[in-house]
Amino acid sequence: MSSIKRTTVKEALTCEVAMEQIEIQGWVRTRRDSKAFAFLEINDGSSLASIQVVADAGIPGYERIKEMSTGASVVVQGQLVESPGKQKWELQAQRLSLLGVAPDSYPLQKKGHSPEFLRSILHLRPRTNLFGAIFRTRSRMAAAVHDFFNSRDFIWVHTPIITGSDCEGAGEMFHVTTMDPLKEHGDYEKDFFGKSAQLTVSGQLEAECFACALGNVYTFGPTFRAENSNTTRHASEFWMIEPEMAFCNLEGDMDVAEDFIKHLVNTMLADESGDMEFFGKFVDKGLRARLEHVSQSRFIRCSYTEAIEIMQKSAVNFEYPPIWGMDLQTEHERFLTEKHFKTPVIVYNYPKDIKPFYMRLNDDGKTVTAMDVLVPGIGEIIGGSQREERLDVLEDNMRCSGLNMEDYSWYTDLRRFGTVPHAGFGLGFERLLMFVTGVQNIRDVLPFPRTPRNCG
Ligand code: 4AD
Ligand code: MG
């Protein structure tokens, strides 16, 4: 028994020479019985593909074969042999053990459930082909994020999840409190931190402290927004990657953003696990062509003012007619990237009144050094800017935004002591995942999505 090698289905299916005496552990996807033997498809999540097991009647454990139904957990020992079917190998079983049965009430009996139904069984949906592929891809993409920054000597900073500052200034924050909302309210003095505390909407301000010490840094962590928008692109809890670079201007910021997206897209294109192919077949037929196009094209850079002019001159009937000074809506973003330029676009220099206090004021006094990266199928995937490094201008912006200067004295200190030009951006990790998989709803790339009135 000791010579039996435990392997994953992935290892077994991709090995070069037949492995003798292996053991796999997984869940039954399907079983077909004939008189003298049974076929079992076993999946253990290590790959999209399941392994076919051939079990002859009479081997140890076969007496419980009828209970090895879809969803049951099993251990199979046996020998890899060449398969006459599509796969290179199949497993000729020598011993079967049933670990856990899955009675008829198992909700994933048949294939082809709708994403809506699967959202009602979040705890089981990773067992489907689609969600297995999505969450393996999520893990691979997270590794690719770290690879990109590691290869450029960026330092990963763990910025806090509980914070006292509203980075985006939009007031869309969840409160963190130990007070009972039904009995006590209002007096933060008595609360856990002795002041009001929130879940972070962005690690940027803290990342700036570290950039102004360590040079190039990035954050990668959970982010929370209490915006009441029930769309397919907004979640209340999502993950964001925020690089912050000292001695960097808007152009340098755009260069890193473009390289970063291309690195992630190229990682996806190079995927040989079968997951990318699966998305191309069953989720979005145009996926590979679109990603290849993004990988090869130079991102168009277009000022906000030019973008407004382009849309005003176009014959399109927008729901919100474009006017200088307004924030771009998804319909505008998608027009620019999908219809007009047909390539990713970086829109920069937005009106200062629609952007947060920390962005650097341009010489025109009207616009700030903001930049948003827009991609086909999604719209905004990245938002960033060069930061205001001049103390007096920053303080003016903060006053205009109604911020309490004392609360942010640590932030303004960065400008008081050795200030430097610096810039950064935030990439929404789930928007990226939607982009590289073709999945249309943000709820389907989050393991346990949280959206307004939904925290299952
Ligand atoms: O444009 P945003 O709000 O920018 C910031 O938070 C800056 N502090 C980033 C920085 O400069 N360091 O958000 C950045 C990105 C968006 O482009 C989008 O991809 C994603 O975060 N995002 C969301 N993703 C899912 N659900 C939401 N509710 C999101 N809000 C923003
Ligand atoms: Mg934004």
Side-chain angles (χ1 to χ4, degrees):
M1 280 298 161
S2 59
S3 62
I4 292 180
K5 187 177 175 326
R6 274 192 182 179
T7 70
T8 62
V9 169
K10 179 182 172 188
E11 279 174 307
L13 289 177
T14 54
C15 69
E16 290 293 324
V17 281
M19 289 192 281
E20 295 187 354
Q21 298 301 312
I22 64 165
E23 175 179 293
I24 57 150
Q25 301 160 309
W27 293 268
V28 177
R29 282 291 176 83
T30 57
R31 194 190 78 237
R32 282 179 292 133
D33 297 323
S34 86
K35 231 188 208 158
F37 57 90
F39 286 124
L40 296 153
E41 292 287 332
I42 308 291
N43 190 285
D44 67 354
S46 61
S47 70
L48 182 72
S50 303
I51 192 165
Q52 167 148 293
V53 172
V54 187
D56 290 335
I59 61 166
Y62 197 86
E63 61 283 359
R64 298 192 72 185
I65 194 81
K66 292 277 182 242
E67 292 171 88
M68 296 181 195
S69 55
T70 300
S73 48
V74 293
V75 182
V76 185
Q77 291 171 359
Q79 202 165 347
L80 275 189
V81 294
E82 274 184 44
S83 169
K86 272 183 284 171
Q87 285 173 343
K88 189 171 171 193
W89 307 115
E90 62 187 26
L91 185 60
Q92 180 70 50
Q94 289 156 348
R95 174 184 294 270
L96 299 173
S97 328
L98 176 64
L99 295 184
V101 295
D104 288 349
S105 54
Y106 182 58
L108 298 174
Q109 294 292 352
K110 55 180 173 40
K111 288 180 183 167
H113 294 290
S114 71
E116 291 76 19
F117 169 71
L118 292 170
R119 263 175 238 143
S120 73
I121 47 166
L122 293 177
H123 58 299
L124 295 175
R125 71 177 182 168
R127 299 186 189 191
T128 62
N129 279 344
L130 174 63
F131 287 92
I134 289 172
F135 293 115
R136 280 187 299 273
T137 300
R138 189 175 168 112
S139 168
R140 258 181 240 124
M141 283 295 125
V145 165
H146 291 300
D147 288 345
F148 176 83
F149 289 116
N150 257 327
S151 73
R152 294 177 171 227
D153 286 336
F154 278 57
I155 313 292
W156 182 19
V157 183
H158 302 124
T159 49
I161 286 172
I162 301 175
T163 172
S165 52
D166 180 359
C167 173
E168 293 307 295
E172 290 164 335
M173 305 184 83
F174 291 102
H175 285 281
V176 177
T177 176
T178 50
M179 293 197 292
D180 182 340
L182 298 178
K183 294 192 197 126
E184 313 152 286
H185 38 114
D187 191 356
Y188 293 122
E189 273 288 315
K190 292 195 196 124
D191 204 352
F192 191 88
F193 295 107
K195 58 181 281 198
S196 106
Q198 290 86 22
L199 294 179
T200 186
V201 293
S202 160
Q204 177 198 319
L205 303 188
E206 291 90 351
E208 283 185 53
C209 304
F210 276 76
C212 292
L214 304 181
N216 291 337
V217 303
Y218 71 106
T219 73
F220 187 2
T223 310
F224 307 85
R225 302 233 172 142
E227 49 191 330
N228 199 2
S229 38
N230 238 321
T231 78
T232 53
R233 307 180 320 140
H234 290 89
S236 312
E237 176 175 342
F238 61 99
W239 282 55
M240 188 153 54
I241 300 130
E242 295 183 275
E244 190 67 36
M245 298 153 286
F247 311 102
C248 181
N249 60 14
L250 186 67
E251 210 183 319
D253 201 31
M254 295 198 257
D255 291 342
V256 176
E258 180 169 345
D259 289 353
F260 185 36
I261 300 241
K262 285 182 174 167
H263 171 79
L264 297 171
V265 163
N266 289 338
T267 303
M268 192 65 191
L269 284 169
D271 173 56
E272 288 180 345
S273 72
D275 290 336
M276 167 75 196
E277 207 187 318
F278 176 83
F279 295 127
K281 245 192 200 155
F282 295 106
V283 177
D284 178 354
K285 296 230 167 7
L287 182 64
R288 179 167 288 277
R290 192 169 67 245
L291 294 185
E292 275 169 358
H293 175 64
V294 167
S295 159
Q296 284 149 20
S297 56
R298 170 142 171 72
F299 292 11
I300 298 281
R301 298 179 186 192
C302 167
S303 75
Y304 168 91
T305 304
E306 286 171 90
I308 292 287
E309 282 167 10
I310 288 168
M311 290 189 287
Q312 284 173 341
K313 283 187 198 141
S314 80
V316 178
N317 223 339
F318 292 105
E319 191 187 337
Y320 296 91
I323 306 167
W324 200 98
M326 78 189 300
D327 206 357
L328 297 188
Q329 305 291 320
T330 304
E331 58 168 341
H332 304 138
E333 294 171 350
R334 296 190 60 169
F335 166 79
L336 291 168
T337 172
E338 290 165 21
K339 301 261 159 42
H340 187 78
F341 291 115
K342 298 188 172 62
T343 191
V345 189
I346 311 184
V347 179
Y348 62 93
N349 287 352
Y350 282 70
K352 76 171 197 276
D353 293 341
I354 55 169
K355 289 292 181 186
F357 70 94
Y358 54 71
M359 295 189 179
R360 191 179 196 279
L361 187 65
N362 283 317
D363 292 344
D364 61 13
K366 288 193 305 191
T367 60
V368 287
T369 52
M371 65 101 181
D372 279 3
V373 181
L374 318 178
V375 294
I378 305 283
E380 178 190 341
I381 196 164
I382 278 181
S385 72
Q386 185 175 337
R387 320 306 188 190
E388 184 54 78
E389 85 284 11
R390 298 161 296 187
L391 181 62
D392 51 339
V393 187
L394 178 64
E395 285 184 332
D396 277 351
N397 288 350
M398 293 171 76
R399 251 178 245 116
C400 289
S401 304
L403 297 183
N404 179 348
M405 305 299 250
E406 265 173 44
D407 289 349
Y408 292 85
S409 62
W410 57 277
Y411 185 69
T412 44
D413 265 0
L414 302 178
R415 280 71 179 170
R416 237 167 246 121
F417 310 123
T419 192
V420 295
H422 59 290
F425 61 83
L427 169 75
F429 190 48
E430 287 73 21
R431 299 241 178 123
L432 170 87
L433 291 171
M434 292 167 72
F435 183 56
V436 299
T437 60
V439 167
Q440 292 288 314
N441 195 316
I442 198 163
R443 291 163 183 77
D444 295 337
V445 295
L446 279 153
F448 292 94
R450 272 82 178 91
T451 49
R453 307 207 65 79
N454 176 24
C455 183

